[in-house]
Amino acid sequence: MGVALTRSAQWTAARYGAGTLAVTPLNEAIVKEIIMFVECFIYKHPQEAKYVFVEPLEWKTNLDPSAFKSGYVVSATTVKSEEVDKNGQPLLFLSVPQIKIRSFGQLSHLLYIARDTKLKETQACLEANRNPIAKILGLDYNVMKDDSSILEILDKIAKDDDPESEIKIRIAILLKQLDLHLLNYSLKHISLCFSYQHDTYFFVNEGDDLNMMSLLGKTDDEEEINYDRKGAIYKDLFTFLKEKSAKFSENMSKQQTRLNEEQQKEKDQPHEAPKKEEADSLRKATTGSGKSLLKNQINLGKNQMTKRLEPSLNWKTTVDFKDRKILQRDTQEEKHGGKLEKSAPSVSPGRALKNADKIEEIVSESSSESEEDEEPPDHRQEANADLPSEYWQIQKLVKYLKGGNQTATVIALCSMKDFNLAQETCQLAIRDVGGLEVLINLLDTDEVKCKIGSLKILKEISHNPQIRRNIVDLGGLPIMVNILDSPHKSLKCLAAETIANVAKFKRARRAVRHHGGITKLVALLDCAQNATEPVQSSLYDERDVEVARCGAQALWSCSKSYTNKEAIRKAGGIPLLARLLKTSHENMLIPVVGTLQECASEENYRAAIKAERIIENLVKNLNSENEQLQEHCAMAIYQCAEDEETRDLVRLHGGLKPLASLLNNTDNKKRLAAVTGAIWKCSISKENVTKFREYKAIETLVGLLTDQPEEVLVNVVGALGECCQEYENRVLVRKCGGIQPLVNLLVGINQALLVNVTKAVGACAVESESMMIIDRLDGVRLLWSLLKNPHPDVKASAAWALCPCIQNAKDAGEMVRSFVGGLELVVNLLKSDNKEVLASVCAAITNIAKDQENLAVITDHGVVPLLSKLANTNNDKLRRHLAEAISRCCMWGRNRVAFGEHKAVAPLVRYLKSNDTNVHRATAQALYQLSEDANNCITMHENSAVKLLLDMVGSPDQDLQEAAAGCISNIRRLALATEKARYT
């Protein structure tokens, strides 16, 4: 912050008194960055926020004492904080207009109190305290000098006798990071202003040292920044150093030569074990670190009396666990087909011990790799590939992580985070040199800062599918699951976000569940207890919401597994998700609704969602301006609307109108698919269809039948199929020109789309004018051809659609006979094992058999024995349509006799015991036709048909009455004739 204020900030000339910050866009941007840093300080670094400055920051404020509320002693002209130092002095003291502040915590609170005037307050503070670092840490630690570096500052503070040196170290690092951030931010700002300059300028000072602060120098005789170039122009720092330093050029040449030799050896011996000397040096480093830990283990913040900073990370790797790790590496090699990943041996033995106990489980899981979500194959960087400089820089930082002490580790983590970790080259650079093992190892330490740094990096690089698998293979998930119990909210958030990224495939989701992660993630949702209340003054409320959001994000990833869905429900996740759904935080709502959307595919969840009154909030959020939130709410409604009560709730809470209006926004295809899906399922209820017609949704749906992706078309056609069950909507679809695009879709190959489009075409065929259009477009032939489709659902749907087509065609008999081999195809479908296919084909045969010529043809194809074979069924739907088909087929030749010979009569009598009135009617009609044969009458009488039929003569269904009475009449006439013959 000191160097940035001196070099980057723009000051006015100091002719009378101290200079002031000029009113420029750059200055305003710098001040805003400092405000963000200070505001977040109190909850990002709570321990450091309590540190008391060596000298107070003092300036003239415009704040009124009345602005200070709880936590302060307020009078007319003075304010004192209740928070005091060890001498009892307040950490904030205001005596209008002068204010003195002595901690970052009080600075954070002041900015919160200042609200709209915090920009002016911060500017006044910076102008009055031109060297704030000296006041915070003391004159001995003034970081404004040009020749100071982070390591020099840390070394100076570490040698100090001050008992607060450890906290000073951390504050010094944070301030130095802020300083570098402000400098980089300033350079970016300047580069935007001078975007026409594409070269990088380095301003060289005389002397041996070059530091990054010399990019913009000052004149010797004045305090203003000098922008004039004083030297040559170099395209990058490497070229500059190679040109100016002979030693640097010599070292780089040696390094390149050595690298080429190593690459050549690796190429000649690709499977050679790591060099012994490298292993020895690494073992020496790790063992030495372990000895230092045993001699002097330091926990920051707990022991402030130490005079010398020693390594405090729990480096646990020792040679004792070498055999275990070799076994684990061999297991991985077997698992990856002999391709072992190149990584340094830095896995902590504590974790290796746990993993060694579960090696058998890991090996067994390898057998189910084919079940996992498809991930791209693993690949390594080519040895001779033209890799960017970042690749090698990151690999150097990983080496510091392996062998450095605690301070070096923190600095290396911060430096690594500054790289573009979204770039695959940077991600693989960390992995290729064994960085993943080190980062996961850091999660096993006691130092919170190291865990946070490691998790921040793992969170970024775990977007890479290969990295995700490596994290799981190295046992990273169990450690992250344990971190969810941490009292530190930042750690919980980062761990949950990283789990959310990693749990994208089955094995990872299973690992989270096996280690108790689901229960812990559900517990995180309880952090936002006051999410529905207005945001309180405490800065911690936002952190609670963030913890819950990250927990919901992780649960969203885990909920793609059925077992995990059950685990979430049993852990009490639904009431917590329901409560979070009432919040106004959109970034919270998206993962919450996403989790509910995934889980709503299960019936247990749908019942719980109704019980928790979640539908109301889903409907409310359909009106959000966030497209992703709208998409997930619509998708959740789509999943839940399988249930009739839910469909009614969507209508009652006003959800149909926003769904209809969202149909007009067709740019976002994912959202459009979700919205059309919700409309489809809601259209199953007739009351909802009436509303959709009122909102002009049917016309819009017809317009979406062309130029849309298949996932949208499936839902659009499904919705039209439901709407066309009503006459008014069939007419509407025809008038809007919807018949032709529907028929055109019959030539597709998408199974779900074919099922829906056949249903929609069949529904339209009920109306005679629509049927004429379908026939003219050759739609019936296309439907008939779908009877050859390999998918049973498509066959059944096509057969059902053919029924209204045959019923409403002008010359149905001739139309059916025109399809070569069509009748034989239909009869052969009676050999199917699928009940729905059998029922639909029986219904089609019922309509085909109305034409005597067609009935004769199907009789020749053996329809009677095939129908008789199906008689012994308990499926009422099949019973009904089978009985109707038998009834129709009895009207040709000696088919009645044939049915009796094939034992179809006795099973039909048992149909009369069904609870379905439709089955009774169809069966009575079939028995009436069969009773025209004497032998069939005898069979019916023997199976007690008369008693069952007598009960049905009194039915309110007239067709059933007549058929039952007719059958009884035939049986009675036969009995009388037999009796008469006996006595004659």
Side-chain angles (χ1 to χ4, degrees), residues 597-869:
Q597 163 210 320
E598 288 291 343
C599 295
S601 60
E602 304 303 323
E603 190 174 349
N604 288 339
Y605 265 92
R606 292 198 290 270
I609 285 171
K610 281 190 297 182
E612 293 292 337
R613 303 179 66 181
I614 288 174
I615 299 298
E616 180 180 353
N617 290 296
L618 291 175
V619 167
K620 182 184 73 174
N621 287 308
L622 283 174
N623 296 307
S624 166
E625 294 182 0
N626 187 303
E627 291 189 3
Q628 191 179 4
L629 180 57
Q630 290 173 338
E631 174 195 335
H632 292 305
C633 286
M635 200 58 161
I637 291 172
Y638 164 76
Q639 297 281 14
C640 295
E642 294 282 351
D643 177 76
E644 182 180 0
E645 187 179 344
T646 300
R647 295 195 292 270
D648 293 340
L649 287 172
V650 173
R651 182 180 70 258
L652 292 173
H653 291 302
L656 300 182
K657 190 170 185 177
L659 284 173
S661 65
L662 287 173
L663 284 176
N664 297 311
N665 302 321
T666 59
D667 294 336
N668 186 333
K669 300 303 180 185
K670 285 188 175 181
R671 183 183 63 178
L672 184 61
V675 169
T676 51
I679 290 175
W680 171 20
K681 295 302 180 183
C682 288
S683 298
I684 298 172
S685 296
K686 290 184 179 180
E687 297 85 352
N688 291 349
V689 172
T690 304
K691 284 289 184 182
F692 282 133
R693 186 167 63 246
E694 180 185 328
Y695 299 139
K696 309 294 183 184
I698 296 173
E699 295 92 325
T700 310
L701 287 169
V702 172
L704 294 173
L705 286 173
T706 53
D707 302 324
Q708 295 298 333
E710 285 189 342
E711 56 267 25
V712 174
L713 287 173
V714 169
N715 297 334
V716 169
V717 175
L720 287 174
E722 296 297 339
C723 291
C724 287
Q725 301 301 315
E726 296 183 6
Y727 173 77
E728 295 91 340
N729 297 332
R730 289 194 287 269
V731 173
L732 192 57
V733 168
R734 173 172 54 80
K735 289 182 176 179
C736 291
I739 304 296
Q740 181 160 355
L742 283 173
V743 172
N744 292 342
L745 292 173
L746 288 172
V747 298
I749 58 173
N750 182 299
Q751 179 186 350
L753 179 56
L754 287 174
V755 169
N756 284 355
V757 76
T758 48
K759 181 177 180 180
V761 171
C764 291
V766 174
E767 197 230 350
S768 56
E769 291 187 44
S770 297
M771 179 57 215
M772 290 172 61
I773 299 173
I774 293 169
D775 192 17
R776 187 173 67 247
L777 295 171
D778 212 12
V780 181
R781 184 186 61 81
L782 292 173
L783 285 171
W784 212 288
S785 67
L786 289 175
L787 296 176
K788 301 176 184 178
N789 193 285
H791 298 287
D793 292 343
V794 177
K795 289 179 184 176
S797 188
W800 287 121
L802 283 171
C803 295
C805 290
I806 297 170
Q807 286 173 1
N808 295 287
K810 278 191 175 180
D811 190 356
E814 185 59 37
M815 178 187 73
V816 170
R817 285 191 295 277
S818 68
F819 304 131
V820 179
L823 292 174
E824 185 179 4
L825 173 62
V826 171
V827 172
N828 286 333
L829 285 176
L830 291 173
K831 299 173 184 177
S832 172
D833 295 327
N834 186 286
K835 293 290 192 294
E836 189 69 20
V837 171
L838 291 173
S840 61
V841 171
C842 286
I845 287 173
T846 302
N847 288 282
I848 291 169
K850 290 177 181 178
D851 181 88
Q852 287 294 300
E853 289 185 44
N854 290 338
L855 177 54
V857 174
I858 62 174
T859 300
D860 291 341
H861 286 307
V863 71
V864 172
L866 289 172
L867 288 174
S868 301
K869 192 176 179 180

Side-chain angles (χ1 to χ4, degrees), residues 508-545:
R509 293 193 283 267
R510 186 164 57 243
V512 174
R513 182 178 71 254
H514 283 175
H515 293 90
I518 300 296
T519 305
K520 294 179 181 180
L521 288 170
V522 169
L524 295 187
L525 303 181
D526 205 18
C527 289
Q529 302 176 44
N530 301 319
T532 59
E533 299 175 6
V535 178
Q536 304 297 317
S537 60
S538 170
L539 293 172
Y540 291 96
D541 287 343
E542 293 182 9
R543 300 302 298 166
D544 291 336
V545 172

Side-chain angles (χ1 to χ4, degrees), residues 1 5-6 9-14 16-24 27-28 30-31 34 57-62 98 118-132 135:
M1 187 161 67
L5 288 176
T6 306
Q10 298 162 352
W11 297 84
T12 59
Y16 305 101
T20 59
L21 284 169
V23 181
T24 65
N27 279 357
E28 184 177 347
I30 290 175
V31 172
I34 293 173
L57 298 178
E58 184 175 357
W59 72 94
K60 289 184 179 181
T61 181
N62 293 319
Q98 290 293 121
K118 59 186 174 185
L119 194 67
K120 291 182 180 179
E121 289 296 323
T122 306
Q123 183 175 341
C125 176
L126 294 173
E127 289 172 352
N129 302 274
R130 290 288 292 270
N131 192 357
K135 291 190 174 184

